Amino acid sequence: MNPLNSPLEIGMRALVLLAESHPQPLDLAQLALLDHAVLHSGDLDGPPSLHPSLPGHTGELGMKRTVLEQALLVLIRAGLANVEADETGLVYRATESGPAFVDILEAPYVGRLRQRAEWAVHHWAPETDVRATTADLLNGSLPSPTPFEGRRD
């Protein structure tokens, strides 16, 4: 198995996003866009990007949904996330074990990922229309983001 962009890798990023938004749920479209935002935050006037900005990286959005669905199943089987139906459709929420699991991860990459997840969930996403922003990214025109202001305490 190639770990790069595997359900395991994307699942860990999704878990960090679900833990940051806990107890609020996120739907698949939100998770896909937030995952893109944490990887390419520098392109969105956030903290420096975790991954390099390569030509065509917006194409990741279209391919990510299938792997993200597989990743969420891994998290659900592990008891780290749940799927629920609400008035908008299916949403995913970290269980109480999800944020606790993220808290024990000590790798420097996870620390940088958590910083960008905090930015994406609390600073960037509240002002972001998921469908419009996804369309803008896929069409090559970036939205007008809110500049990164650091961690809220």
Side-chain angles (χ1 to χ4, degrees):
M1 175 177 91
N2 181 1
L4 184 62
N5 287 320
S6 69
L8 182 59
E9 179 190 0
I10 292 176
M12 289 308 304
R13 293 195 312 255
L15 180 58
V16 169
L17 287 164
L18 291 170
E20 186 62 43
S21 71
H22 190 267
Q24 297 301 313
L26 298 169
D27 66 25
L28 190 60
Q30 290 170 313
L31 279 165
L33 185 61
L34 287 168
D35 185 62
H36 181 84
V38 299
L39 295 179
H40 304 290
S41 50
D43 296 346
L44 303 169
D45 287 342
S49 296
L50 280 177
H51 291 189
S53 185
L54 301 172
H57 71 264
T58 55
E60 296 170 5
L61 277 170
M63 299 181 332
K64 188 174 298 201
R65 289 180 64 101
T66 301
V67 181
L68 183 55
E69 288 174 323
Q70 296 167 356
L72 290 164
L73 289 174
V74 170
L75 295 177
I76 291 165
R77 283 189 213 123
L80 299 171
N82 287 323
V83 61
E84 313 167 359
D86 71 7
E87 65 280 352
T88 65
L90 295 178
V91 293
Y92 300 87
R93 183 187 319 263
T95 63
E96 293 301 321
S97 300
F101 183 82
V102 171
D103 285 343
I104 65 170
L105 300 174
E106 297 179 357
Y109 179 85
V110 175
R112 293 189 303 271
L113 178 61
R114 291 181 77 176
Q115 177 195 26
R116 283 142 184 94
E118 188 274 336
W119 165 79
V121 169
H122 299 292
H123 298 275
W124 185 72
E127 303 298 321
T128 302
D129 177 314
V130 173
R131 283 191 169 89
T133 302
T134 300
D136 286 346
L137 286 168
L138 290 172
N139 292 325
S141 58
L142 294 175
S144 301
T146 303
F148 178 62
E149 297 174 6
R151 186 166 183 84
R152 288 185 191 170
D153 291 312

PDB file of all heavy atoms in Angstrom, residues 15 18 22 24-27 31 72-85 90-98:
ATOM      1  N   LEU A  15      -9.466  13.344  10.653  1.00  0.00           N
ATOM      2  CA  LEU A  15      -9.660  13.255  12.099  1.00  0.00           C
ATOM      3  C   LEU A  15      -9.203  14.539  12.789  1.00  0.00           C
ATOM      4  O   LEU A  15      -9.878  15.035  13.697  1.00  0.00           O
ATOM      5  CB  LEU A  15      -8.914  12.051  12.673  1.00  0.00           C
ATOM      6  CG  LEU A  15      -9.058  11.866  14.187  1.00  0.00           C
ATOM      7  CD1 LEU A  15     -10.520  11.714  14.599  1.00  0.00           C
ATOM      8  CD2 LEU A  15      -8.228  10.671  14.650  1.00  0.00           C
ATOM      9  N   LEU A  18     -11.968  16.996  12.142  1.00  0.00           N
ATOM     10  CA  LEU A  18     -13.154  16.682  12.954  1.00  0.00           C
ATOM     11  C   LEU A  18     -12.903  16.991  14.430  1.00  0.00           C
ATOM     12  O   LEU A  18     -13.798  17.476  15.124  1.00  0.00           O
ATOM     13  CB  LEU A  18     -13.555  15.215  12.776  1.00  0.00           C
ATOM     14  CG  LEU A  18     -14.115  14.843  11.411  1.00  0.00           C
ATOM     15  CD1 LEU A  18     -14.250  13.325  11.276  1.00  0.00           C
ATOM     16  CD2 LEU A  18     -15.462  15.530  11.164  1.00  0.00           C
ATOM     17  N   HIS A  22     -14.958  19.684  16.616  1.00  0.00           N
ATOM     18  CA  HIS A  22     -15.753  18.974  17.638  1.00  0.00           C
ATOM     19  C   HIS A  22     -16.374  19.951  18.623  1.00  0.00           C
ATOM     20  O   HIS A  22     -15.700  20.865  19.065  1.00  0.00           O
ATOM     21  CB  HIS A  22     -14.847  17.980  18.378  1.00  0.00           C
ATOM     22  CG  HIS A  22     -15.581  17.049  19.266  1.00  0.00           C
ATOM     23  ND1 HIS A  22     -15.787  17.321  20.592  1.00  0.00           N
ATOM     24  CD2 HIS A  22     -16.180  15.864  19.027  1.00  0.00           C
ATOM     25  CE1 HIS A  22     -16.467  16.337  21.138  1.00  0.00           C
ATOM     26  NE2 HIS A  22     -16.713  15.437  20.198  1.00  0.00           N
ATOM     27  N   GLN A  24     -19.058  20.088  16.609  1.00  0.00           N
ATOM     28  CA  GLN A  24     -19.797  20.378  15.383  1.00  0.00           C
ATOM     29  C   GLN A  24     -19.427  19.376  14.292  1.00  0.00           C
ATOM     30  O   GLN A  24     -18.251  19.088  14.091  1.00  0.00           O
ATOM     31  CB  GLN A  24     -19.506  21.797  14.893  1.00  0.00           C
ATOM     32  CG  GLN A  24     -19.954  22.884  15.847  1.00  0.00           C
ATOM     33  CD  GLN A  24     -21.440  22.812  16.115  1.00  0.00           C
ATOM     34  OE1 GLN A  24     -22.249  22.684  15.213  1.00  0.00           O
ATOM     35  NE2 GLN A  24     -21.805  22.866  17.391  1.00  0.00           N
ATOM     36  N   PRO A  25     -20.427  18.858  13.560  1.00  0.00           N
ATOM     37  CA  PRO A  25     -20.135  17.907  12.485  1.00  0.00           C
ATOM     38  C   PRO A  25     -19.734  18.637  11.203  1.00  0.00           C
ATOM     39  O   PRO A  25     -19.948  19.836  11.054  1.00  0.00           O
ATOM     40  CB  PRO A  25     -21.474  17.191  12.299  1.00  0.00           C
ATOM     41  CG  PRO A  25     -22.490  18.241  12.630  1.00  0.00           C
ATOM     42  CD  PRO A  25     -21.867  19.056  13.747  1.00  0.00           C
ATOM     43  N   LEU A  26     -19.150  17.878  10.294  1.00  0.00           N
ATOM     44  CA  LEU A  26     -18.792  18.382   8.970  1.00  0.00           C
ATOM     45  C   LEU A  26     -19.303  17.394   7.933  1.00  0.00           C
ATOM     46  O   LEU A  26     -19.283  16.181   8.159  1.00  0.00           O
ATOM     47  CB  LEU A  26     -17.268  18.513   8.834  1.00  0.00           C
ATOM     48  CG  LEU A  26     -16.585  19.497   9.785  1.00  0.00           C
ATOM     49  CD1 LEU A  26     -15.066  19.321   9.728  1.00  0.00           C
ATOM     50  CD2 LEU A  26     -16.975  20.920   9.441  1.00  0.00           C
ATOM     51  N   ASP A  27     -19.745  17.903   6.780  1.00  0.00           N
ATOM     52  CA  ASP A  27     -20.167  16.991   5.714  1.00  0.00           C
ATOM     53  C   ASP A  27     -18.976  16.692   4.801  1.00  0.00           C
ATOM     54  O   ASP A  27     -17.881  17.248   4.964  1.00  0.00           O
ATOM     55  CB  ASP A  27     -21.384  17.514   4.957  1.00  0.00           C
ATOM     56  CG  ASP A  27     -21.136  18.786   4.165  1.00  0.00           C
ATOM     57  OD1 ASP A  27     -19.985  19.068   3.786  1.00  0.00           O
ATOM     58  OD2 ASP A  27     -22.120  19.501   3.896  1.00  0.00           O
ATOM     59  N   LEU A  31     -15.379  18.645   4.486  1.00  0.00           N
ATOM     60  CA  LEU A  31     -14.119  17.967   4.799  1.00  0.00           C
ATOM     61  C   LEU A  31     -13.145  18.003   3.627  1.00  0.00           C
ATOM     62  O   LEU A  31     -11.953  18.232   3.827  1.00  0.00           O
ATOM     63  CB  LEU A  31     -14.387  16.520   5.224  1.00  0.00           C
ATOM     64  CG  LEU A  31     -14.824  16.341   6.666  1.00  0.00           C
ATOM     65  CD1 LEU A  31     -15.401  14.950   6.887  1.00  0.00           C
ATOM     66  CD2 LEU A  31     -13.663  16.600   7.610  1.00  0.00           C
ATOM     67  N   LEU A  72     -13.024   7.982   5.995  1.00  0.00           N
ATOM     68  CA  LEU A  72     -14.022   8.157   7.057  1.00  0.00           C
ATOM     69  C   LEU A  72     -14.523   6.806   7.564  1.00  0.00           C
ATOM     70  O   LEU A  72     -14.774   6.648   8.769  1.00  0.00           O
ATOM     71  CB  LEU A  72     -15.167   9.033   6.559  1.00  0.00           C
ATOM     72  CG  LEU A  72     -14.776  10.499   6.354  1.00  0.00           C
ATOM     73  CD1 LEU A  72     -15.809  11.221   5.507  1.00  0.00           C
ATOM     74  CD2 LEU A  72     -14.570  11.196   7.690  1.00  0.00           C
ATOM     75  N   LEU A  73     -14.629   5.821   6.681  1.00  0.00           N
ATOM     76  CA  LEU A  73     -15.011   4.467   7.123  1.00  0.00           C
ATOM     77  C   LEU A  73     -13.961   3.883   8.065  1.00  0.00           C
ATOM     78  O   LEU A  73     -14.308   3.212   9.048  1.00  0.00           O
ATOM     79  CB  LEU A  73     -15.226   3.547   5.919  1.00  0.00           C
ATOM     80  CG  LEU A  73     -16.471   3.818   5.093  1.00  0.00           C
ATOM     81  CD1 LEU A  73     -16.493   2.930   3.852  1.00  0.00           C
ATOM     82  CD2 LEU A  73     -17.729   3.624   5.917  1.00  0.00           C
ATOM     83  N   VAL A  74     -12.690   4.140   7.785  1.00  0.00           N
ATOM     84  CA  VAL A  74     -11.615   3.688   8.675  1.00  0.00           C
ATOM     85  C   VAL A  74     -11.781   4.335  10.054  1.00  0.00           C
ATOM     86  O   VAL A  74     -11.691   3.656  11.089  1.00  0.00           O
ATOM     87  CB  VAL A  74     -10.226   4.012   8.072  1.00  0.00           C
ATOM     88  CG1 VAL A  74      -9.113   3.772   9.081  1.00  0.00           C
ATOM     89  CG2 VAL A  74      -9.990   3.216   6.800  1.00  0.00           C
ATOM     90  N   LEU A  75     -12.056   5.637  10.077  1.00  0.00           N
ATOM     91  CA  LEU A  75     -12.235   6.337  11.360  1.00  0.00           C
ATOM     92  C   LEU A  75     -13.455   5.816  12.118  1.00  0.00           C
ATOM     93  O   LEU A  75     -13.410   5.676  13.342  1.00  0.00           O
ATOM     94  CB  LEU A  75     -12.369   7.847  11.120  1.00  0.00           C
ATOM     95  CG  LEU A  75     -11.153   8.565  10.542  1.00  0.00           C
ATOM     96  CD1 LEU A  75     -11.473  10.027  10.287  1.00  0.00           C
ATOM     97  CD2 LEU A  75      -9.948   8.418  11.461  1.00  0.00           C
ATOM     98  N   ILE A  76     -14.525   5.538  11.394  1.00  0.00           N
ATOM     99  CA  ILE A  76     -15.747   5.030  12.030  1.00  0.00           C
ATOM    100  C   ILE A  76     -15.481   3.648  12.621  1.00  0.00           C
ATOM    101  O   ILE A  76     -15.845   3.376  13.774  1.00  0.00           O
ATOM    102  CB  ILE A  76     -16.911   5.017  11.016  1.00  0.00           C
ATOM    103  CG1 ILE A  76     -17.313   6.459  10.684  1.00  0.00           C
ATOM    104  CG2 ILE A  76     -18.102   4.217  11.554  1.00  0.00           C
ATOM    105  CD1 ILE A  76     -18.202   6.592   9.449  1.00  0.00           C
ATOM    106  N   ARG A  77     -14.825   2.771  11.849  1.00  0.00           N
ATOM    107  CA  ARG A  77     -14.501   1.420  12.354  1.00  0.00           C
ATOM    108  C   ARG A  77     -13.605   1.481  13.578  1.00  0.00           C
ATOM    109  O   ARG A  77     -13.685   0.625  14.452  1.00  0.00           O
ATOM    110  CB  ARG A  77     -13.832   0.602  11.260  1.00  0.00           C
ATOM    111  CG  ARG A  77     -14.799   0.087  10.245  1.00  0.00           C
ATOM    112  CD  ARG A  77     -14.115  -0.905   9.292  1.00  0.00           C
ATOM    113  NE  ARG A  77     -14.740  -0.768   7.998  1.00  0.00           N
ATOM    114  CZ  ARG A  77     -14.121  -0.488   6.874  1.00  0.00           C
ATOM    115  NH1 ARG A  77     -12.818  -0.328   6.850  1.00  0.00           N
ATOM    116  NH2 ARG A  77     -14.784  -0.375   5.753  1.00  0.00           N
ATOM    117  N   ALA A  78     -12.725   2.473  13.634  1.00  0.00           N
ATOM    118  CA  ALA A  78     -11.811   2.616  14.766  1.00  0.00           C
ATOM    119  C   ALA A  78     -12.475   3.298  15.965  1.00  0.00           C
ATOM    120  O   ALA A  78     -11.844   3.442  17.010  1.00  0.00           O
ATOM    121  CB  ALA A  78     -10.574   3.401  14.332  1.00  0.00           C
ATOM    122  N   GLY A  79     -13.715   3.744  15.811  1.00  0.00           N
ATOM    123  CA  GLY A  79     -14.410   4.408  16.911  1.00  0.00           C
ATOM    124  C   GLY A  79     -13.978   5.844  17.128  1.00  0.00           C
ATOM    125  O   GLY A  79     -14.232   6.414  18.192  1.00  0.00           O
ATOM    126  N   LEU A  80     -13.342   6.448  16.128  1.00  0.00           N
ATOM    127  CA  LEU A  80     -12.859   7.821  16.258  1.00  0.00           C
ATOM    128  C   LEU A  80     -13.814   8.844  15.657  1.00  0.00           C
ATOM    129  O   LEU A  80     -13.685  10.042  15.908  1.00  0.00           O
ATOM    130  CB  LEU A  80     -11.486   7.944  15.604  1.00  0.00           C
ATOM    131  CG  LEU A  80     -10.397   7.047  16.226  1.00  0.00           C
ATOM    132  CD1 LEU A  80      -9.140   7.077  15.372  1.00  0.00           C
ATOM    133  CD2 LEU A  80     -10.118   7.457  17.663  1.00  0.00           C
ATOM    134  N   ALA A  81     -14.780   8.377  14.859  1.00  0.00           N
ATOM    135  CA  ALA A  81     -15.762   9.266  14.227  1.00  0.00           C
ATOM    136  C   ALA A  81     -17.074   8.512  14.073  1.00  0.00           C
ATOM    137  O   ALA A  81     -17.110   7.279  14.111  1.00  0.00           O
ATOM    138  CB  ALA A  81     -15.260   9.752  12.870  1.00  0.00           C
ATOM    139  N   ASN A  82     -18.145   9.273  13.901  1.00  0.00           N
ATOM    140  CA  ASN A  82     -19.480   8.733  13.642  1.00  0.00           C
ATOM    141  C   ASN A  82     -20.059   9.422  12.421  1.00  0.00           C
ATOM    142  O   ASN A  82     -19.702  10.557  12.112  1.00  0.00           O
ATOM    143  CB  ASN A  82     -20.428   9.001  14.820  1.00  0.00           C
ATOM    144  CG  ASN A  82     -20.124   8.149  16.016  1.00  0.00           C
ATOM    145  OD1 ASN A  82     -19.753   6.994  15.892  1.00  0.00           O
ATOM    146  ND2 ASN A  82     -20.274   8.736  17.200  1.00  0.00           N
ATOM    147  N   VAL A  83     -20.986   8.757  11.766  1.00  0.00           N
ATOM    148  CA  VAL A  83     -21.752   9.353  10.681  1.00  0.00           C
ATOM    149  C   VAL A  83     -23.184   9.484  11.177  1.00  0.00           C
ATOM    150  O   VAL A  83     -23.693   8.605  11.873  1.00  0.00           O
ATOM    151  CB  VAL A  83     -21.664   8.531   9.368  1.00  0.00           C
ATOM    152  CG1 VAL A  83     -22.217   7.130   9.546  1.00  0.00           C
ATOM    153  CG2 VAL A  83     -22.355   9.260   8.226  1.00  0.00           C
ATOM    154  N   GLU A  84     -23.820  10.600  10.855  1.00  0.00           N
ATOM    155  CA  GLU A  84     -25.190  10.877  11.273  1.00  0.00           C
ATOM    156  C   GLU A  84     -25.925  11.517  10.104  1.00  0.00           C
ATOM    157  O   GLU A  84     -25.307  12.078   9.213  1.00  0.00           O
ATOM    158  CB  GLU A  84     -25.227  11.881  12.434  1.00  0.00           C
ATOM    159  CG  GLU A  84     -24.277  11.613  13.545  1.00  0.00           C
ATOM    160  CD  GLU A  84     -24.132  12.788  14.511  1.00  0.00           C
ATOM    161  OE1 GLU A  84     -24.770  13.851  14.320  1.00  0.00           O
ATOM    162  OE2 GLU A  84     -23.347  12.639  15.446  1.00  0.00           O
ATOM    163  N   ALA A  85     -27.231  11.443  10.158  1.00  0.00           N
ATOM    164  CA  ALA A  85     -28.054  12.151   9.175  1.00  0.00           C
ATOM    165  C   ALA A  85     -28.641  13.373   9.869  1.00  0.00           C
ATOM    166  O   ALA A  85     -29.108  13.291  11.006  1.00  0.00           O
ATOM    167  CB  ALA A  85     -29.160  11.247   8.659  1.00  0.00           C
ATOM    168  N   LEU A  90     -25.813  13.564   5.163  1.00  0.00           N
ATOM    169  CA  LEU A  90     -24.890  12.859   6.046  1.00  0.00           C
ATOM    170  C   LEU A  90     -23.788  13.801   6.525  1.00  0.00           C
ATOM    171  O   LEU A  90     -23.218  14.556   5.732  1.00  0.00           O
ATOM    172  CB  LEU A  90     -24.263  11.669   5.332  1.00  0.00           C
ATOM    173  CG  LEU A  90     -25.212  10.548   4.931  1.00  0.00           C
ATOM    174  CD1 LEU A  90     -24.450   9.452   4.189  1.00  0.00           C
ATOM    175  CD2 LEU A  90     -25.941   9.972   6.136  1.00  0.00           C
ATOM    176  N   VAL A  91     -23.515  13.731   7.815  1.00  0.00           N
ATOM    177  CA  VAL A  91     -22.444  14.527   8.412  1.00  0.00           C
ATOM    178  C   VAL A  91     -21.595  13.604   9.276  1.00  0.00           C
ATOM    179  O   VAL A  91     -22.048  12.555   9.729  1.00  0.00           O
ATOM    180  CB  VAL A  91     -22.980  15.713   9.242  1.00  0.00           C
ATOM    181  CG1 VAL A  91     -23.659  16.744   8.365  1.00  0.00           C
ATOM    182  CG2 VAL A  91     -23.915  15.245  10.352  1.00  0.00           C
ATOM    183  N   TYR A  92     -20.364  14.038   9.501  1.00  0.00           N
ATOM    184  CA  TYR A  92     -19.401  13.255  10.272  1.00  0.00           C
ATOM    185  C   TYR A  92     -18.984  14.071  11.485  1.00  0.00           C
ATOM    186  O   TYR A  92     -18.819  15.286  11.411  1.00  0.00           O
ATOM    187  CB  TYR A  92     -18.188  12.913   9.404  1.00  0.00           C
ATOM    188  CG  TYR A  92     -18.596  12.114   8.192  1.00  0.00           C
ATOM    189  CD1 TYR A  92     -19.005  12.753   7.011  1.00  0.00           C
ATOM    190  CD2 TYR A  92     -18.632  10.732   8.235  1.00  0.00           C
ATOM    191  CE1 TYR A  92     -19.414  12.024   5.908  1.00  0.00           C
ATOM    192  CE2 TYR A  92     -19.052   9.999   7.129  1.00  0.00           C
ATOM    193  CZ  TYR A  92     -19.433  10.653   5.976  1.00  0.00           C
ATOM    194  OH  TYR A  92     -19.856   9.928   4.894  1.00  0.00           O
ATOM    195  N   ARG A  93     -18.828  13.358  12.596  1.00  0.00           N
ATOM    196  CA  ARG A  93     -18.472  14.024  13.857  1.00  0.00           C
ATOM    197  C   ARG A  93     -17.444  13.155  14.570  1.00  0.00           C
ATOM    198  O   ARG A  93     -17.568  11.930  14.588  1.00  0.00           O
ATOM    199  CB  ARG A  93     -19.731  14.164  14.700  1.00  0.00           C
ATOM    200  CG  ARG A  93     -19.570  14.878  16.004  1.00  0.00           C
ATOM    201  CD  ARG A  93     -20.828  14.823  16.879  1.00  0.00           C
ATOM    202  NE  ARG A  93     -22.073  15.001  16.195  1.00  0.00           N
ATOM    203  CZ  ARG A  93     -22.740  16.161  16.106  1.00  0.00           C
ATOM    204  NH1 ARG A  93     -22.231  17.241  16.649  1.00  0.00           N
ATOM    205  NH2 ARG A  93     -23.895  16.223  15.476  1.00  0.00           N
ATOM    206  N   ALA A  94     -16.455  13.779  15.154  1.00  0.00           N
ATOM    207  CA  ALA A  94     -15.491  13.041  15.970  1.00  0.00           C
ATOM    208  C   ALA A  94     -16.208  12.512  17.202  1.00  0.00           C
ATOM    209  O   ALA A  94     -17.055  13.199  17.774  1.00  0.00           O
ATOM    210  CB  ALA A  94     -14.334  13.941  16.383  1.00  0.00           C
ATOM    211  N   THR A  95     -15.884  11.295  17.599  1.00  0.00           N
ATOM    212  CA  THR A  95     -16.377  10.777  18.875  1.00  0.00           C
ATOM    213  C   THR A  95     -15.540  11.427  19.979  1.00  0.00           C
ATOM    214  O   THR A  95     -14.580  12.153  19.698  1.00  0.00           O
ATOM    215  CB  THR A  95     -16.218   9.250  18.944  1.00  0.00           C
ATOM    216  OG1 THR A  95     -14.817   8.925  18.890  1.00  0.00           O
ATOM    217  CG2 THR A  95     -16.977   8.544  17.824  1.00  0.00           C
ATOM    218  N   GLU A  96     -15.849  11.135  21.211  1.00  0.00           N
ATOM    219  CA  GLU A  96     -15.043  11.665  22.319  1.00  0.00           C
ATOM    220  C   GLU A  96     -13.609  11.144  22.242  1.00  0.00           C
ATOM    221  O   GLU A  96     -12.679  11.810  22.694  1.00  0.00           O
ATOM    222  CB  GLU A  96     -15.682  11.306  23.664  1.00  0.00           C
ATOM    223  CG  GLU A  96     -17.021  11.992  23.908  1.00  0.00           C
ATOM    224  CD  GLU A  96     -16.944  13.513  23.881  1.00  0.00           C
ATOM    225  OE1 GLU A  96     -15.959  14.090  24.393  1.00  0.00           O
ATOM    226  OE2 GLU A  96     -17.875  14.136  23.327  1.00  0.00           O
ATOM    227  N   SER A  97     -13.430   9.967  21.644  1.00  0.00           N
ATOM    228  CA  SER A  97     -12.086   9.391  21.505  1.00  0.00           C
ATOM    229  C   SER A  97     -11.268  10.078  20.421  1.00  0.00           C
ATOM    230  O   SER A  97     -10.035  10.036  20.464  1.00  0.00           O
ATOM    231  CB  SER A  97     -12.187   7.899  21.170  1.00  0.00           C
ATOM    232  OG  SER A  97     -12.866   7.206  22.180  1.00  0.00           O
ATOM    233  N   GLY A  98     -11.925  10.699  19.444  1.00  0.00           N
ATOM    234  CA  GLY A  98     -11.212  11.323  18.334  1.00  0.00           C
ATOM    235  C   GLY A  98     -10.247  12.416  18.754  1.00  0.00           C
ATOM    236  O   GLY A  98      -9.040  12.327  18.470  1.00  0.00           O
TER     237      GLY A  98
END
